[in-house]
Amino acid sequence: MVVYIDLIFLANLFIDAVLLMVTAWMRKIRPVWWRLMTSAGIGAMYVVMMFVPELSFLFTFLIKLALSVIMLLVAFGFGSMQKYLRTMGAFYMINFVAAGGILGMHYFLQNTGELFNGIWYTASGGMSFELKIAFWFILCAFGGVMLFFRIVQSSKQRTERMSGFLGQVQVWIGQDHIECTGLLDTGNQLYDPLTRTPVMVMEAALWESHLPASWLRKCSEGNADQLVMELGDESFSWQDRVRLVPYRGINRNHSFMLALKPDRVEVVMNGVHFVHHRVLIGLDGGTLSAEGKYRAIIHPDVTAQEEGSADTNQKQDAHFGEHFTESG
């Protein structure tokens, strides 16, 4: 059997470098590139030592643990014990994810014959597995697993950041009320230009059972101004609550939004209960969140202190991009 030590060293250098970079990304550390490559070089040299029979004593649990400690110290330094242990935990978790992902992809792509050819039984009745994975398969699978892991982690972190700015919204009109999850967005600076009433935006589909049948379609087409002119053609118990609010969207085009005047709006966010009586509910004909995480855009004025409602010192703010802006 011919062993190409240079390929083994370069492959492990690449793998260790990627593992360390993903660890740094996960722990939000900006590593010095030469320290990271030096650490990866230490890990790659350790693998090369496997082919030196005289150094077989190095391949024990304690030596492997000590090597990982040295690699992390070289790459990221120490800082504090708590910080270092968290970095080590992230490093091992990423290693286990990479190893498990490669094995999972290997067995997923095997057919039945190949799988059972790699299984054999010992004289004592135990079961053993023979594992043969191609060199290039390991590199390709490793890259795919790390990319997938980063995508999943990015989505998880984005969801965690957003969750602090999500609240439960209840809108009351008479005895009817609509509930949904809303996102607090300080970029929403939409007001009724005449009364300076803040406008909170909700998906029109939430009001489907309360609106005339043709309204949802026309709201989605952006023809809200035509609906006001057609109010007399269809009976609608909330006609005196209908407003037409001009706004300017992200693309800076001027348009009109159909809005309703509720009796009150209640928002529960991070355990704080806000009640607002002076607010309009703008109806958006589309979908506010592609993932369905929220169906309303909470105006920042709704979570401002109102008499008997909540302490503004407990209010949290966010800006996830300007959804709607007052037309000027």
Side-chain angles (χ1 to χ4, degrees):
M1 180 178 65
V2 179
V3 178
Y4 296 94
I5 299 295
D6 54 345
L7 287 180
I8 293 175
F9 175 81
L10 291 174
N12 281 275
L13 180 69
F14 167 76
I15 290 173
D16 289 340
V18 172
L19 290 173
L20 290 168
M21 285 190 291
V22 175
T23 302
W25 169 79
M26 190 172 178
R27 294 285 298 129
K28 295 180 173 59
I29 300 173
R30 289 190 175 183
V32 180
W33 70 269
W34 64 265
R35 295 188 61 170
L36 189 143
M37 293 306 299
T38 302
S39 177
I42 294 173
M45 283 300 300
Y46 179 77
V47 175
V48 171
M49 292 177 186
M50 292 176 59
F51 300 96
V52 182
E54 292 78 6
L55 300 178
S56 59
F57 68 91
L58 293 176
F59 300 97
T60 62
F61 169 76
L62 291 178
I63 297 297
K64 292 176 182 177
L65 179 62
L67 179 71
S68 63
V69 169
I70 294 171
M71 288 178 63
L72 293 176
L73 284 174
V74 172
F76 309 119
F78 183 74
S80 66
M81 180 59 70
Q82 184 181 40
K83 179 180 178 181
Y84 180 80
L85 290 177
R86 288 179 177 176
T87 302
M88 178 174 284
F91 179 70
Y92 273 109
M93 185 189 74
I94 294 167
N95 273 271
F96 296 152
V97 168
I102 292 173
L103 287 175
M105 290 182 65
H106 171 70
Y107 281 109
F108 181 77
L109 296 175
Q110 278 188 315
N111 57 44
T112 306
E114 292 173 332
L115 179 61
F116 283 101
N117 285 337
I119 301 176
W120 50 281
Y121 292 89
T122 65
S124 61
M127 185 185 300
S128 182
F129 296 87
E130 182 180 358
L131 183 62
K132 293 181 179 179
I133 305 179
F135 172 78
W136 294 111
F137 177 85
I138 292 176
L139 288 183
C140 294
F142 173 77
V145 169
M146 287 293 94
L147 179 62
F148 182 73
F149 175 78
R150 180 157 183 171
I151 292 173
V152 171
Q153 280 296 116
S154 296
S155 177
K156 178 176 176 291
Q157 291 175 1
R158 186 166 55 250
T159 301
E160 289 176 348
R161 287 195 301 269
M162 183 181 293
S163 63
F165 308 110
L166 295 176
Q168 293 302 311
V169 177
Q170 283 191 357
V171 180
W172 291 84
I173 298 181
Q175 297 301 315
D176 298 316
H177 75 282
I178 299 295
E179 298 183 22
C180 71
T181 300
L183 173 70
L184 177 63
D185 183 3
T186 57
N188 179 9
Q189 297 298 316
L190 183 59
Y191 293 88
D192 178 17
L194 297 178
T195 63
R196 302 301 299 170
T197 303
V199 180
M200 190 177 80
V201 181
M202 295 181 69
E203 293 180 7
L206 291 168
W207 300 83
E208 182 177 8
S209 60
H210 302 278
L211 300 176
S214 62
W215 283 37
L216 290 180
R217 176 176 54 82
K218 292 187 177 180
C219 280
S220 62
E221 294 173 352
N223 298 324
D225 51 335
Q226 298 180 11
L227 290 175
V228 176
M229 293 185 292
E230 298 172 3
L231 277 177
D233 299 335
E234 297 184 70
S235 60
F236 183 41
S237 59
W238 294 345
Q239 289 188 13
D240 58 333
R241 296 179 179 269
V242 175
R243 305 289 187 273
L244 199 61
V245 180
Y247 74 95
R248 185 174 65 248
I250 297 176
N251 57 8
R252 300 301 177 184
N253 291 332
H254 292 265
S255 187
F256 290 92
M257 177 180 294
L258 191 71
L260 298 174
K261 178 65 177 71
D263 293 321
R264 73 179 185 276
V265 172
E266 299 181 15
V267 176
V268 178
M269 179 172 292
N270 299 320
V272 184
H273 188 203
F274 302 93
V275 180
H276 212 288
H277 297 275
R278 186 174 177 272
V279 64
L280 295 178
I281 303 299
L283 303 181
D284 185 271
T287 302
L288 296 177
S289 170
E291 299 176 347
K293 296 185 181 300
Y294 56 91
R295 304 188 70 182
I297 303 297
I298 303 173
H299 197 285
D301 286 4
V302 175
T303 57
Q305 184 180 18
E306 199 178 55
E307 185 177 354
S309 60
D311 185 356
T312 54
N313 291 330
Q314 299 180 4
K315 184 184 69 175
Q316 289 192 345
D317 234 0
H319 188 169
F320 287 98
E322 183 181 273
H323 288 274
F324 300 96
T325 306
E326 178 186 0
S327 178

